[in-house]
Structure formats: C-alpha cells, structure tokens
Amino acid sequence: MTIVIRRTLMLPVVMLLMMMPTSHADELNGWQQGATLNRIKSFVAAVTDRQSPDFVPPEQRVAVIDNNGTLWAEQPASPQLLFALHQAQLMVKDNPELISQPVFKAANDNNLALLREQGIEGLLQLFIATHVGLPIVEFDARVNRWIVEAKNPLSKRLHTDMTYVPMMQLLAYLRQHDFDIWLVTSGSAGFVRAWSERVYGIPPDRVIASELKTEYRVLNGRPSLIHMPEVGFINTAGNKAVAINERIGRRPILAIGNADDDIAMLQWTAAGDGRRLAMLIHHTDGEREWAYNKSKYASSLERGLQLAEQSGWLVVDMKADWRQVFSWQ
Amino acid sequence: MTIVIRRTLMLPVVMLLMMMPTSHADELNGWQQGATLNRIKSFVAAVTDRQSPDFVPPEQRVAVIDNNGTLWAEQPASPQLLFALHQAQLMVKDNPELISQPVFKAANDNNLALLREQGIEGLLQLFIATHVGLPIVEFDARVNRWIVEAKNPLSKRLHTDMTYVPMMQLLAYLRQHDFDIWLVTSGSAGFVRAWSERVYGIPPDRVIASELKTEYRVLNGRPSLIHMPEVGFINTAGNKAVAINERIGRRPILAIGNADDDIAMLQWTAAGDGRRLAMLIHHTDGEREWAYNKSKYASSLERGLQLAEQSGWLVVDMKADWRQVFSWQ
C-alpha cells in the first residue's frame, strides 16, 4: 500500500493506519468467488510478494485500462458521443441552418442510427465541430456542466452512475497494491480529464487519450493553446501500444480492455518478460447490462476472444463473474 | 516533503525521519547568496506554506525543466548529437560507402562545423539514420554503453559529469517541497529515458521529448514497436507548451529553460493564475563553462532575455549566481 504523506501530517496518518484493519475482506465483493477472481488475486499476490519469483517493484507495477465498456457502459453509445450530440443540438439552436448537414440533422434528432450511417467521417466531423474553438478551461467547464446532469438514454441514470462496481473495486485494490494506473482511452483528453480524477481517482497526467491537433499561439498578448479542426492522434488499436510506450516509457504488467480495439495493448503488455496479466471484459449480461460482441461503431469483440483462448488471456464473463454490475442495482 | 512508504516499511522509515535534521542548510550551497537564490526560495516558500495566499497543493506543484544547457552542458554540441556522431562512425565502419554522403563524412571526421553546414535537414538525416531500426530495448542498451564512457570533447569529462551542481541541488530542493518534476527536452525520448532516472532521478514517464513516428506490428508472432524513419513530434518552441498540456494536463507553476526555444514553455507557465516562476539560465561564464547567447544550431538566447525583462522572468547569471558549476571544479 502506498501512502503519500506530508511530513507535518505524518503522525496522525500513522495512527490512523494502525487503526485500519489489515485485511479488506469486502473490497472485491462485487466479484463472484471463483476462478476469475482467484486469477486476479493470485497475479496481484505474485507481483507484490517480495519472496515471490514474480515480484515487481512498485514503480514498475504499471496497469493500463481502457475506459468505454471497461470502466463504464458504452451502450447505446459512448458518453462522449452523447456529449457531442448535446453540443451539436446547442449549436443548431444558435445556427438553425446547420441542420441542412446530415450529421447535425441526425444529432438534432438524437438519431444514433442515422448518425452512424454517416460513417467514421461523419462521426469525426461531429466530434471536431463540437470540440474545437473553446479555450481548454472553458471546454472543461462545459463538459463538467453536462456530466453532472446528463443521463444514459436507456437506463435514465447519470453516466457517472454507469461505472461498473467490480471495476471501481479493482481500481482501489490495485492502488492498495501500489499499482500505477493509467487510463488508455479512444476518447479525447479534454473530455475525459474533465472528470476522470473525480470519478475514477485517475489524475490528468495518467490519462492517455486521443488528441486534436493543437497549436501554441500568443493571441492579443495571451499565450493560448488552440485546438485545430484536425485529428492529431487517434488512440485506438496499435496506437494504444505506441502511446503507452511514448507516455509511460515502461511496459505495463497488467492490461484490461473489452474490445478488439484493445488487442494491441494486451499483446504489448503480455509480451514482456515476467508475469503479466491481460484481461478482457466480455459483455454477456443482457439483463443487468447489455450482451454484445459485434457492433458496427461501438466495441466489437471477436478476434480478441480467439486470441484470448490462444494466449491464455483472462476473459471476464460479466454475467457469471460479477455479483453486481452497477451501484444502483 | 512527500514520502512514499510501503506499509510494511513504515516504522523504520518513521524512525529514520525522526532522526533527519529538519533544515537542510547546505542543500543549495552551489548557489551564491543573493537576489536570485532569494527569489527561488521565496517562490517555493510561498507556494508550499499553507498559510500563504499563494499556497498550491502538492499535486498541482508541476515544474517543467529543459535539459540541454539547463541541466547539463550543450557545448560544443548536445550529447545526443555526439551520440549520433559516434553511431554514424560505427555505421561507416560497417558500410564504408556511406562516407560518400556529406552527413556521414562530417560525422566520421568529427567535423561539427561541416555537419552543421548540412543544415537542419542534414542533422535530422543523421538522427534518423542513427536512431532507427533497433528494438527499443536494444537501443536503450546502446545508449547506456555509450553514456558510461563517452566524454565531452572539450572538457574530457563524462557527459554525466557535465551536469550543473546548482541545478541538481535545485531538483532535490523542489522534490523536498513536493514538486512534480517533468523534463521537457528537444532530445528524443529513447535517448533521454535511457539515463534520466539514474542521472536526474526523473523516471521515464516524466520525460516529455521528441519522438520518431512509431508503428505497432506483430512480427513473426512478436508484438513490436517499430521506429519509422520519419519525425513524429519535435518537442521545441510552441510544441513544448502543446506537449506539456497533452502529457500533464495541468499548467505548470514553475518553468526553467535556457534558450529562445523555451520561451513558449515559460510564457504558458507564467500566464496561469496565481504565483508562478519562469526562469532562464544564462550562460555567462566563459571560464568555468561557456559564455554564449547566439548559436546557429545550439540554443540561442536573445528574444528570451528581452521578454524576461518585460515579463519579470528570473534570469540566472551563471557566473554571478553559481558558486560552483560542475562537481569536479
């Protein structure tokens, strides 16, 4: 367990620690007892036990974790896409002529099917139009205003209540065991960082995300970073492995994803020396969440399941392995 | 002071701390007493004192620091350029016909003047040729073999002995005050990360650097990151501000550079709310180091000095402000 202590606060913190129980029996109680949970625990035990041949020093206990579909729900669409829809609707209010563009028409009608018919190009057009043109600080505030009230259109729950209880517990468990947790998401840095620390306890510098092309300019004497209407880096598939190396500079020992888009991240992690754990969250629970493997625009998980079988990756069966999915269930 | 403690190690660490003196009278003794040192100390005191209106919580005490000419010497050329020369010489041994190319001819003759005549394009050609084609792990090993024996051609000292004593002390002082220190360098990530933790105590994930374009591929069943013979990101000038935002996601409160190339980083830092410190190291000491402002290929410092005067940035006069420059002097 790593505790960051300011020296002036040390004595009270030490006293507090001495009062804490040393076991946390209920810390993973959103998981069913069984092979999946055992495999997670035995991995963590092996890399944290100084007597183990698999021991990994704390500074090298790097964990990389996907966001959409891994830490929170991505059905019927990723929250960032729903945020983009909302922003597009505000734009249409101000500029009704925008509706002549199919992407804005689809967004304005909350018509996800029509939006997806516009293809990746259409989605990128929507993202860029709704994410560009604001100073970073104002964009953050806009995301935060939205996220405290926006609800999942199917469950009618806040997006921040659509996080998976077992995964939130796993984050806490990994932190207790000195893991250095990085969020590796296809979402944009500006969107995810606005809430990742509050919701996941993951600070801005631990978010590896997609980026719009950005330029530095001094405007009217004011140093400014300006998002260009152009994609700078899309953090998906092989790019996730590239970004992990560029940003962390160490190979992770634990990787968790839920889609074929996460294969490279899992492969890159698993191919390192020593003990590693590569995990896929499989959406099998049509009652408590959604059951899906194939999806044209959200995460597909097909090749990943084959590779998991060949490579011994751990596949988490949401229906069988999770006692609880959402906190409100 | 932030101390990271494993719980099992807590009691001995607490005992050790209780034996430590609480003042570190000599910790900045490479600096002359005077206005420059006072300004650094009063900035650190203000942002770390909970009673101060300028107090900044530890997680926001972000410091960004340039490398060449700021933490270690960059004359007669940056160590990375000298490394590239060395690698080029090894390549010429294996492939003598390479010498027909002016860049390799200049490198083989250790002729920096001739090399610089090839312009930025020629330098990039040399960097790419000497930095591409090896798996990352082998490249690290190659850098480490070189850096433990390579010497500055003028001083005949190891490059790692060409670090500035006052700056090494400042790094320690900032760490004692819970600053989160990031190295922001135009050098390449692969080169700098090979030794930054050992020499500066700055771990790989705190190095923001230039990057070659990199691709993920599975080669003969082996997940691999391959450097392409193409520049991906050059971490200079305005790009330093862009990269700081993308990587850290928080605006620094302290920035230190030594060149016009660092202006954007200092401006971006200084333009934040609250108390900030922007610092330039000015190479004024022709006896103990080198005195230079203008340089065609290394760092020039001209506009930076004007801006420092207009903006109240702290200019460190190496000759007047440093009692010691190198540890062996």
Side-chain angles (χ1 to χ4, degrees):
Chain A
M1 180 169 183
T2 294
I3 308 144
V4 176
I5 300 180
R6 295 180 47 83
R7 206 200 299 188
T8 49
L9 297 178
M10 184 97 104
L11 277 180
V13 172
V14 171
M15 287 164 63
L16 192 67
L17 276 168
M18 287 175 170
M19 294 186 296
M20 281 168 66
T22 49
S23 71
H24 301 263
D26 290 332
E27 66 198 358
L28 293 171
N29 63 2
W31 295 75
Q32 296 287 4
Q33 298 295 325
T36 298
L37 181 58
N38 288 344
R39 193 156 157 208
I40 294 170
K41 284 183 167 177
S42 80
F43 169 76
V44 171
V47 299
T48 56
D49 174 4
R50 289 191 174 266
Q51 310 308 318
S52 156
D54 300 318
F55 177 74
V56 176
E59 67 275 13
Q60 292 173 28
R61 281 180 214 155
V62 174
V64 288
I65 308 184
D66 170 60
N67 183 33
N68 294 321
T70 298
L71 293 182
W72 71 357
E74 60 180 352
Q75 296 288 359
S78 75
Q80 186 163 7
L81 179 55
L82 298 172
F83 168 76
L85 286 189
H86 178 75
Q87 296 306 117
Q89 289 160 10
L90 297 178
M91 289 170 75
V92 169
K93 261 190 201 156
D94 285 347
N95 298 292
E97 73 278 12
L98 281 172
I99 217 160
S100 65
Q101 301 177 30
V103 164
F104 279 95
K105 169 81 176 122
N108 202 53
D109 296 348
N110 275 317
N111 190 335
L112 287 169
L114 179 61
L115 185 62
R116 285 166 175 161
E117 277 173 28
Q118 311 308 312
I120 292 296
E121 287 306 310
L123 287 174
L124 281 179
Q125 186 197 335
L126 182 73
F127 273 113
I128 288 171
T130 53
H131 285 67
V132 158
L134 278 184
I136 290 160
V137 179
E138 288 174 38
F139 183 78
D140 273 14
R142 187 176 284 194
V143 174
N144 273 310
R145 278 197 303 276
W146 177 82
I147 206 163
V148 294
E149 55 182 35
K151 292 186 173 156
N152 182 298
L154 301 177
S155 71
K156 313 294 183 198
R157 299 280 174 166
L158 290 175
H159 294 293
T160 49
D161 287 340
M162 297 299 289
T163 57
Y164 305 129
V165 168
M167 295 306 291
M168 298 302 104
Q169 292 175 341
L170 184 57
L171 292 180
Y173 182 73
L174 293 173
R175 274 192 201 103
Q176 282 163 14
H177 289 85
D178 290 340
F179 277 76
D180 183 14
I181 298 172
W182 295 73
L183 193 64
V184 181
T185 177
S186 60
S188 81
F191 177 79
V192 176
R193 283 173 168 166
W195 49 267
S196 65
E197 186 151 31
R198 181 170 59 83
V199 176
Y200 298 147
I202 298 179
D205 64 301
R206 289 296 188 264
V207 173
I208 301 179
S210 296
E211 304 274 1
L212 290 165
K213 191 164 154 45
T214 307
E215 288 187 4
Y216 175 79
R217 291 184 196 159
V218 179
L219 301 173
N220 303 318
R222 193 179 165 75
S224 306
L225 292 174
I226 313 291
H227 287 317
M228 298 287 109
E230 188 183 330
V231 169
F233 181 77
I234 302 193
N235 193 36
T236 55
N239 273 356
K240 286 194 173 183
V242 171
I244 284 167
N245 182 62
E246 288 188 354
R247 292 280 300 276
I248 310 177
R250 281 193 169 107
R251 201 191 291 239
I253 63 168
L254 170 62
I256 314 178
N258 77 310
D260 289 347
D261 195 44
D262 299 313
I263 287 173
M265 175 169 92
L266 269 63
Q267 285 176 324
W268 177 246
T269 298
D273 295 330
R275 190 147 170 183
R276 312 267 157 169
L277 183 60
M279 259 171 81
L280 284 170
I281 308 297
H282 190 192
H283 293 264
T284 51
D285 195 327
E287 287 182 24
R288 295 181 300 177
E289 209 238 1
W290 291 276
Y292 59 100
N293 271 17
K294 286 195 192 190
S295 168
K296 200 169 171 192
Y297 296 99
S299 316
S300 290
L301 179 61
E302 296 182 288
R303 199 169 146 251
L305 289 176
Q306 297 162 14
L307 285 170
E309 194 160 327
Q310 289 167 29
S311 316
W313 297 346
L314 177 61
V315 177
V316 174
D317 178 331
M318 279 176 81
K319 187 169 178 173
D321 291 329
W322 285 0
R323 285 185 57 228
Q324 189 176 14
V325 176
F326 300 116
S327 60
W328 40 272
Q329 283 172 336
Chain B
M1 180 168 185
T2 293
I3 309 145
V4 176
I5 302 181
R6 296 177 48 81
R7 207 199 301 185
T8 50
L9 298 178
M10 184 96 102
L11 276 179
V13 172
V14 170
M15 286 163 63
L16 192 69
L17 275 169
M18 287 174 170
M19 294 184 299
M20 281 168 66
T22 49
S23 71
H24 301 263
D26 289 331
E27 65 198 359
L28 293 171
N29 63 3
W31 294 76
Q32 296 287 3
Q33 297 297 325
T36 298
L37 181 58
N38 288 344
R39 192 153 159 209
I40 294 170
K41 284 182 165 179
S42 81
F43 168 75
V44 171
V47 298
T48 56
D49 174 5
R50 289 190 174 269
Q51 310 308 320
S52 155
D54 298 319
F55 177 74
V56 175
E59 68 276 12
Q60 292 173 28
R61 281 180 214 155
V62 173
V64 288
I65 307 184
D66 171 60
N67 182 35
N68 294 321
T70 298
L71 293 183
W72 72 359
E74 60 179 352
Q75 295 290 357
S78 77
Q80 185 161 8
L81 179 55
L82 299 172
F83 168 75
L85 285 188
H86 177 76
Q87 296 306 116
Q89 289 160 11
L90 297 178
M91 290 171 75
V92 168
K93 261 191 202 155
D94 285 346
N95 298 293
E97 72 279 12
L98 280 172
I99 217 161
S100 64
Q101 300 177 32
V103 164
F104 279 95
K105 169 82 175 120
N108 202 53
D109 297 347
N110 275 317
N111 189 334
L112 286 170
L114 179 59
L115 185 62
R116 286 169 175 161
E117 276 174 27
Q118 311 308 311
I120 292 296
E121 287 306 309
L123 287 174
L124 280 179
Q125 186 196 337
L126 182 73
F127 272 113
I128 288 171
T130 53
H131 285 66
V132 159
L134 277 186
I136 289 159
V137 179
E138 289 173 39
F139 182 79
D140 272 16
R142 186 176 284 193
V143 174
N144 274 309
R145 278 197 304 276
W146 177 82
I147 206 163
V148 294
E149 55 182 34
K151 292 186 172 156
N152 182 298
L154 300 177
S155 71
K156 314 293 183 197
R157 300 280 173 166
L158 292 174
H159 293 294
T160 50
D161 287 339
M162 298 298 289
T163 57
Y164 305 130
V165 168
M167 294 306 289
M168 299 302 105
Q169 293 176 342
L170 184 56
L171 291 181
Y173 181 74
L174 292 172
R175 274 191 201 103
Q176 282 162 14
H177 289 85
D178 291 340
F179 277 77
D180 183 14
I181 298 172
W182 296 73
L183 193 63
V184 181
T185 176
S186 60
S188 81
F191 178 80
V192 176
R193 283 174 169 165
W195 48 266
S196 64
E197 187 151 29
R198 180 171 58 83
V199 176
Y200 297 147
I202 298 179
D205 64 302
R206 289 297 188 263
V207 173
I208 301 179
S210 296
E211 305 274 0
L212 290 164
K213 192 164 153 44
T214 307
E215 288 186 5
Y216 175 80
R217 291 183 196 161
V218 179
L219 301 173
N220 302 318
R222 194 180 164 76
S224 306
L225 292 175
I226 313 290
H227 287 319
M228 300 286 109
E230 188 183 330
V231 169
F233 181 77
I234 301 192
N235 194 35
T236 55
N239 273 356
K240 286 194 172 185
V242 171
I244 285 167
N245 182 61
E246 288 188 354
R247 292 280 300 276
I248 310 177
R250 280 193 169 106
R251 200 190 291 239
I253 64 168
L254 169 62
I256 314 177
N258 78 309
D260 288 347
D261 195 43
D262 298 313
I263 288 173
M265 175 169 92
L266 269 63
Q267 285 176 323
W268 177 246
T269 298
D273 296 329
R275 189 147 169 183
R276 312 267 156 170
L277 182 59
M279 259 171 81
L280 284 170
I281 307 298
H282 191 194
H283 293 265
T284 50
D285 195 327
E287 288 182 25
R288 295 181 300 176
E289 209 238 4
W290 292 276
Y292 59 99
N293 271 18
K294 284 195 193 191
S295 167
K296 201 168 171 194
Y297 295 100
S299 315
S300 291
L301 180 60
E302 295 183 289
R303 200 169 145 251
L305 290 176
Q306 297 161 12
L307 285 170
E309 192 160 330
Q310 290 166 26
S311 316
W313 297 346
L314 178 60
V315 177
V316 174
D317 178 332
M318 280 175 81
K319 186 169 180 174
D321 291 328
W322 287 0
R323 284 186 55 230
Q324 190 176 12
V325 177
F326 299 116
S327 60
W328 40 272
Q329 281 171 338

